[in-house]
Amino acid sequence: MMTDQDKTKHLCNRAGFGYALSEEKKQVKSFFVKSSDSFIDAIPKPEIPQNPQGKMQFKDIFQQSRENLMKLNLSWMEKLRTTEDPLREKMVLFWHNHFACRSLIPYLSQQQNNVLRKHALGSFADMLMEISKDPAMLQFLNNQQNRKGHPNENFAREVMELFTLGRGNYTETDIKEAARAFTGWGFSLKGEFQFREKQHDFDAKTFRGQTKNFSGEDIINSILEDKQTAKFISQKIISDFVSYDNPPSGLVDDCAQSFYKSGYDIGKLMKDILSSDVFNKKEFAGNRVKTPVELIIGVQHQTVSQFADTQSLIFMQRALSQLLFFPPNVGGWPRGKQWIDSSSLTFRMAMPQMLFTKQETDFQAKDDGDVNSLKEKKPKRDFSLNADWKNLATTFKGTAENVYAKAEDYLLSSATSPENKKMILKMTTGAKDETDLVKKIFMGIMSLPEYQLC
């Protein structure tokens, strides 16, 4: 049986980025208040070059693109750390992985990210239509090359397989015919959707048993009319927010029906999930591996801190294998236990020492094989977080036993073993003062495997 505090912690872990000191009385409705959070505008709309030049200019443009992608990445990481609307940003993160996309044009990446933010808790139908016309997505899935007589099936396939129906719920004929309907969908040099009439196939198509002159919009509307889309999306969200290994089938069915009837209202779907009795079952609390971004933001959130050198965030994301705006492929990042292997767990458990004692590291992030991925300029750097331990000590005070009990309750979903407790208390021997005591206990608890779960 979960206590009210347990439920609040569970809610903050899943709907936000960890339970913080100011969130003792947070409830589901607290995550649906209107906020003043705005879109990301770190990258200005590029001007179209009037006099394209040679190889040197291309090199300069490429370098500027990398620098702007890094700037965009850090802008979003800062927004995740400081947002007053954590559920919206959590959903932007979810949709960023659902509609996984890479673009080397930073403005297009930013534009797509803001589309996800605009619809994150709104209408899935509206978001699907806008993402399907999004220049970054059309470029990533090769629809610029989709022309009458030479259809490119890539975009049509992923729309059905990954974005809506799921594998096995359409035929190869459906893909071929849908691809014909999406011919002519492209974008201009200004980064705006463009329908190229001369490249569009206006002939009749047979899609899912119906024959007519389908347009791209007709295909998307037809997919949305199928209840399987509501089930596919509901199941994927419930896997992320409740249980990846065992999404409760009853909750999935109930939410899918409600989601469909609501006209794909994502906000209602999230309220249904987070308010359900199933969500608050003890078996689902602390059973999910934190994603790298959840871990990085959560550590800052729970210690009210930020990186002394924000460039370190690029290294941390690469080391943990989740660099925002650079999903590994159209399928997105791994999920659940796939985040953990012996190498990543070792790095995760060593993180607190590195962050709070100014240690350097020789850890080499995995090479993702993409020369375009962002890489930190320095192989070694100061990774320190400027946590205000003195202030934390005013909340976590008392004997070492008392401080440990409060910190464990604050940082973990459930208590760790007596052996781990004994080990951490032993590490506090020789603490210089109350501030040092809190710091040592936090570092000890954050270094446990249990801290990797939420």
Side-chain angles (χ1 to χ4, degrees):
M1 187 75 176
M2 291 176 74
T3 64
D4 287 344
Q5 188 187 8
D6 289 339
K7 291 178 181 176
T8 303
K9 277 200 300 183
H10 181 47
L11 177 65
C12 291
N13 281 333
R14 297 296 174 87
F17 296 92
Y19 178 60
L21 292 172
S22 59
E23 295 174 327
E24 284 180 294
K25 297 181 180 178
K26 203 139 187 177
Q27 299 175 350
V28 172
K29 63 181 180 183
S30 311
F31 286 89
F32 291 91
V33 295
K34 287 186 178 179
S35 77
S36 57
D37 271 10
S38 55
F39 293 149
I40 292 176
D41 60 355
I43 312 300
K45 194 168 188 174
E47 295 181 6
I48 301 171
Q50 298 297 318
N51 300 302
Q53 297 176 24
K55 195 178 286 186
M56 284 303 292
Q57 185 172 359
F58 177 79
K59 185 179 176 182
D60 292 343
I61 292 171
F62 182 72
Q63 179 61 28
Q64 186 180 10
S65 170
R66 288 173 58 81
E67 289 174 358
N68 279 338
L69 281 169
M70 189 175 291
K71 188 177 176 183
L72 180 60
N73 177 294
L74 295 176
S75 293
W76 192 13
M77 289 297 283
E78 178 65 4
K79 193 172 187 65
L80 291 169
R81 185 184 73 81
T82 60
T83 182
E84 295 177 357
D85 199 352
L87 178 58
R88 181 173 299 277
E89 288 306 314
K90 199 71 179 273
M91 291 306 294
V92 177
L93 202 53
F94 172 84
W95 296 121
H96 182 57
N97 197 30
H98 181 75
F99 294 110
C101 175
R102 282 187 181 201
S103 174
L104 290 180
I105 304 175
Y107 179 77
L108 295 188
S109 293
Q110 175 178 275
Q111 183 171 258
Q112 183 185 80
N113 189 256
N114 283 331
V115 168
L116 300 179
R117 185 164 290 103
K118 174 182 170 187
H119 298 294
L121 290 168
S123 164
F124 176 75
D126 291 346
M127 177 163 59
L128 178 64
M129 190 66 80
E130 197 161 342
I131 282 294
S132 297
K133 295 182 176 181
D134 174 69
M137 186 61 78
L138 291 170
Q139 181 190 47
F140 184 56
L141 296 181
N142 312 114
N143 213 67
Q144 286 278 77
Q145 292 82 47
N146 191 12
R147 299 181 175 88
K148 181 180 180 181
H150 302 281
N152 185 309
E153 299 171 5
N154 201 14
F155 177 74
R157 182 181 299 279
E158 306 308 0
V159 165
M160 284 184 269
E161 179 178 329
L162 298 175
F163 301 166
T164 56
L165 296 168
R167 191 173 293 177
N169 295 297
Y170 52 85
T171 66
E172 285 299 309
T173 300
D174 292 331
I175 293 172
K176 292 179 187 300
E177 296 293 88
R180 290 177 56 211
F182 289 123
T183 49
W185 280 30
F187 58 94
S188 67
L189 289 173
K190 294 179 179 179
E192 296 168 351
F193 174 75
Q194 192 173 55
F195 177 64
R196 295 163 179 160
E197 195 170 324
K198 291 182 179 176
Q199 296 179 6
H200 182 68
D201 184 343
F202 284 97
D203 294 338
K205 299 118 187 153
T206 301
F207 179 70
R208 311 194 85 194
Q210 187 182 4
T211 302
K212 69 175 190 177
N213 180 19
F214 280 97
S215 65
E217 289 89 347
D218 292 334
I219 295 292
I220 289 170
N221 287 329
S222 173
I223 289 171
L224 288 167
E225 286 172 6
D226 190 333
K227 291 181 179 178
Q228 171 58 27
T229 296
K231 184 165 186 176
F232 180 74
I233 298 299
S234 298
Q235 182 162 22
K236 191 166 181 180
I237 290 178
I238 289 170
S239 294
D240 255 44
F241 283 81
V242 181
S243 173
Y244 177 70
D245 295 323
N246 185 29
S249 57
L251 181 63
V252 171
D253 290 342
D254 291 346
C255 286
Q257 285 185 30
S258 177
F259 188 39
Y260 186 81
K261 284 181 182 174
S262 73
Y264 292 97
D265 183 337
I266 303 166
K268 183 179 185 309
L269 173 63
M270 293 310 298
K271 279 182 188 171
D272 288 346
I273 294 171
L274 300 175
S275 303
S276 70
D277 292 337
V278 176
F279 177 76
N280 283 315
K281 279 190 174 180
K282 194 173 180 62
E283 65 192 89
F284 296 130
N287 75 339
R288 184 168 72 75
V289 176
K290 293 175 184 173
T291 66
V293 170
E294 284 177 327
L295 180 65
I296 295 168
I297 300 299
V299 169
Q300 295 176 84
H301 196 48
Q302 294 192 301
T303 57
V304 197
S305 61
Q306 57 185 305
F307 281 86
D309 180 357
T310 56
Q311 296 284 319
S312 300
L313 283 161
I314 299 296
F315 172 81
M316 300 301 293
Q317 292 173 73
R318 291 191 65 240
L320 293 166
S321 302
Q322 190 182 24
L323 183 60
L324 295 181
F325 297 103
F326 286 88
N329 51 55
V330 70
W333 285 284
R335 303 166 71 206
K337 294 175 183 173
Q338 296 172 52
W339 282 117
I340 296 288
D341 58 24
S342 57
S343 174
S344 63
L345 182 59
T346 300
F347 183 80
R348 281 175 176 241
M349 292 171 68
M351 264 181 62
Q353 285 286 332
M354 193 167 45
L355 300 179
F356 298 124
T357 62
K358 294 189 177 182
Q359 286 186 4
E360 290 187 342
T361 179
D362 292 321
F363 184 88
Q364 295 292 317
K366 291 177 185 174
D367 189 347
D368 62 6
D370 190 337
V371 296
N372 299 314
S373 287
L374 305 184
K375 294 181 180 177
E376 64 284 0
K377 295 175 182 174
K378 303 176 188 174
K380 293 182 179 180
R381 63 170 66 246
D382 174 9
F383 295 102
S384 61
L385 277 174
N386 55 5
D388 187 351
W389 296 111
K390 193 172 181 179
N391 187 45
L392 284 168
T394 63
T395 301
F396 297 87
K397 55 187 177 183
T399 64
E401 285 269 357
N402 288 339
V403 173
Y404 175 87
K406 290 177 185 174
E408 181 187 63
D409 190 47
Y410 174 58
L411 297 170
L412 300 183
S413 295
S414 58
T416 185
S417 67
E419 291 77 18
N420 283 338
K421 176 183 174 181
K422 186 177 178 182
M423 176 190 69
I424 292 169
L425 287 174
K426 190 176 179 182
M427 288 165 51
T428 66
T429 304
K432 292 179 288 186
D433 51 30
E434 292 178 344
T435 301
D436 196 34
L437 177 67
V438 171
K439 181 178 177 180
K440 287 179 183 298
I441 288 177
F442 264 60
M443 281 173 36
I445 294 175
M446 287 179 155
S447 299
L448 295 173
E450 288 91 331
Y451 188 69
Q452 309 309 316
L453 301 173
C454 68

